[in-house]
Amino acid sequence: MTVEMHPGLGPVFPKPLQNPSEIDQLQEGGAISRLTYVGEAITLTRHKIEGKVPLIGFTGAPFTLMGYMIEGGGSKTMSKTKDWLEKYPKDVHRLLSLLTRVIIDYLVMQVESGAQLLQVFESSADHLTREQFIELSIPYLRNIRSGVQKKLEVKNLEQVPMTVFAKGGGHSLDVQAELGYEVIGLDWTMDPIEARKIVGDKVTLQGNLDPQDLYKTPEEIKSMTIDMVRKFGKHRYIANLGHGITPQTPLESMTAFTEAVHEAI
């Protein structure tokens, strides 16, 4: 499918899926060979950063990608996707399975190219109830984790840590903790102390400052960040934002955030 990047909108699909019969036209074969530029960019970046920081590869999760394919881009309501869930449940799972297979190969290619960690973004989890998340997301997230592990083993490549981040998926942290991912990303709505109680001490937590807080003063950012880090604690924790950074974020805000993290520990 054609994807265009539109300023202010993000990814746009000019010709979204209209009905399930169009799933058969999606070309699974050769999908990774059409994405070789991603691998080349990863390899180039890996060389450029000279081991100073780890290089993280990533992908959208199946349900999130399916939503873009049906809606034609980001959506606040996901109304067309939800219509598919009601009318075409079998076809929905067929499409999710297809996406899962391609995602596994895509992530393995990223590791081959030099990615040292992998993150799977289920950015549309906030449109799902716990029951829907367990049906439409969890099985495919689990298959991605196990599928990547198996293919890396077959290729005699070193296993890499994997992170699952489900925006709005706080209702299912207990289930996410059983998927085999080393790291669970949290959005800014989750309380760090409560999240740790739910997932236990064998999973690393990542997050979760609200990206909008980076528009506050450096002093406020520092105070909020130190408070956040101390709530999470030093054990199995990666300091991060609770979602993607917004385009207009001042550089000095990220400096204040980073310095506060180091000060807090």
Side-chain angles (χ1 to χ4, degrees), residues 187-190 192 207-229 231 240-246 248-258 260:
D187 65 36
W188 66 92
T189 65
M190 291 300 302
N208 68 338
L209 191 75
D210 187 340
Q212 292 300 316
D213 287 336
L214 294 178
Y215 293 101
K216 299 182 186 294
T217 66
E219 291 74 23
E220 289 175 301
I221 294 169
K222 178 179 177 180
S223 175
M224 297 176 77
T225 302
I226 289 174
D227 181 60
M228 173 191 76
V229 172
K231 281 183 178 178
N240 205 333
L241 303 179
H243 197 232
I245 191 170
T246 54
Q248 290 78 33
T249 299
L251 182 60
E252 55 267 28
S253 293
M254 281 309 300
T255 301
F257 173 75
T258 306

Side-chain angles (χ1 to χ4, degrees), residues 137-148:
S137 182
I138 287 293
Y140 303 102
L141 291 172
R142 181 181 290 112
N143 288 347
I144 289 169
R145 182 66 186 113
S146 61
V148 168

Side-chain angles (χ1 to χ4, degrees), residues 3 6 49 117 130-131 175:
V3 184
H6 290 194
I49 59 179
L117 304 90
R130 176 181 167 90
E131 290 72 22
V175 190

Side-chain angles (χ1 to χ4, degrees), residues 85 93 125 127-139 171-172 175:
L85 300 184
H93 282 285
H127 291 282
L128 299 172
T129 64
R130 176 181 167 90
E131 290 72 22
Q132 289 175 318
F133 186 77
I134 289 172
E135 178 195 354
L136 298 166
S137 182
I138 287 293
H171 50 51
S172 306
V175 190

